């Protein structure tokens, strides 16, 4: 298991324990985690705090030369909003836990030069499958369906 | 002048008075403003609170059937993150103040069926031109350059 993906999964589990949607993310620069976060739709009553957005916010205000050395890890394929944030800040590499439950705007990211690696992890899929089965309307709200 | 764009401009001016980046947005459903916001990079020390994102957050958690009846007004062409949020929530119509200062991910939105109207307003351009001239590095930070 990739150590940084493991940290993203810990974030997802933290979110689940809080009653939220189990998706987590970490931002890594030079092998150091400089930001971490998880989906906070329920916890903060937020329409925008997807895991990746929460992670980028927690990393703080950075200049472009910082982002270009970063790798973003997310337990799930980033939606169009999160993909757009990755494109905005020109984060060159994204590593995802899975894209079976939900496939975000991977094609858009790729068209902008972002390299995506899918680890296709059962643990990430199981977290989401259980959650979606239990709270389908919450999940639909989160992805605008 | 479009009355809702005028409200977005008021948001932009509010941001400027707070020492921030002068971009504003409002979300309108059935001719009623249901969310409003402005860029809060400086004010909230935020990497994610662009005007449109702040506006969507202030509109609160909505289901897809609400977003599909909305129009988003923004004083500036939405960046890839904000465009991605518009695509995520399937907001069908976006009205922008201008795209001369900065042209965001309009092509991406269009490819997803979003209708974009550019009002090409001198007032919006003047706000941004003056701001960018005074604080170029802050502007570059906001658009990941």
């Amino acid at each position: 298991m990739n150590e940084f993906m493991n940290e993203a999964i810990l974030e997802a589990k933290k979110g689940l324990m809080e009653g939220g949607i189990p998706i987590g993310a970490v931002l890594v620069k030079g092998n150091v985690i400089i930001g971490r976060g998880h989906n906070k739709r329920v916890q903060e009553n937020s329409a925008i705090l997807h895991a990746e957005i929460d992670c980028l916010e927690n990393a703080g205000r950075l200049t472009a030369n910082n982002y270009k050395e970063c790798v973003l890890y997310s337990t799930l394929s980033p939606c169009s909003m999160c993909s757009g944030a990755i494109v905005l800040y020109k984060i060159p590499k994204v590593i995802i836990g899975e894209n079976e439950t939900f496939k975000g705007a991977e094609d858009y990211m790729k068209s902008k030069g972002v390299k995506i690696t899918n680890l296709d992890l059962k643990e990430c899929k199981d977290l989401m499958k259980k959650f979606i089965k239990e709270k389908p309307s919450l999940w639909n709200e989160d992805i605008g369906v």
Side-chain angles (χ1 to χ4, degrees), chain A:
Chain A
M1 166 68 75
N2 181 300
E3 64 167 313
F4 296 121
M5 182 54 75
N6 205 37
E7 292 295 321
I9 292 171
L10 288 176
E11 283 291 326
K13 288 180 177 172
K14 194 175 170 186
L16 191 65
M17 282 191 293
E18 293 165 354
I21 303 173
I23 306 170
V26 297
L27 187 67
V28 174
K29 184 188 169 197
N31 269 344
V32 176
I33 294 176
I34 60 167
R36 51 195 307 145
H38 52 273
N39 187 302
K40 287 179 180 151
R41 177 169 293 272
V42 172
Q43 299 92 316
E44 304 276 342
N45 221 25
S46 173
I48 60 153
L49 288 176
H50 278 191
E52 300 89 335
I53 298 289
D54 186 49
C55 173
L56 290 172
E57 183 69 327
N58 291 337
R61 287 172 53 185
L62 303 172
T63 50
N65 60 335
N66 283 290
Y67 288 117
K68 76 179 181 193
E69 292 175 21
C70 285
V71 181
L72 182 77
Y73 290 77
S74 178
T75 57
L76 184 64
S77 177
C79 80
S80 57
M81 172 176 65
C82 299
S83 297
I86 289 159
V87 169
L88 169 67
Y89 288 129
K90 302 180 187 70
I91 296 171
K93 200 169 176 181
V94 174
I95 299 184
I96 64 176
E98 60 121 343
N99 68 5
E100 199 177 275
T101 312
F102 172 82
K103 190 172 182 182
E106 292 181 22
D107 290 342
Y108 177 59
M109 284 192 282
K110 281 179 191 165
S111 77
K112 296 294 178 181
V114 180
K115 287 193 176 171
I116 302 166
T117 303
N118 179 8
L119 299 179
D120 193 36
L121 298 174
K122 185 177 183 300
E123 188 173 10
C124 295
K125 290 182 215 177
D126 287 349
L127 268 171
M128 287 305 293
K129 274 181 194 162
K130 188 168 184 292
F131 162 73
I132 292 171
K133 196 174 176 185
E134 288 170 1
K135 297 178 180 174
S137 61
L138 179 55
W139 174 237
N140 285 342
E141 185 194 309
D142 202 53
I143 53 170
V145 171

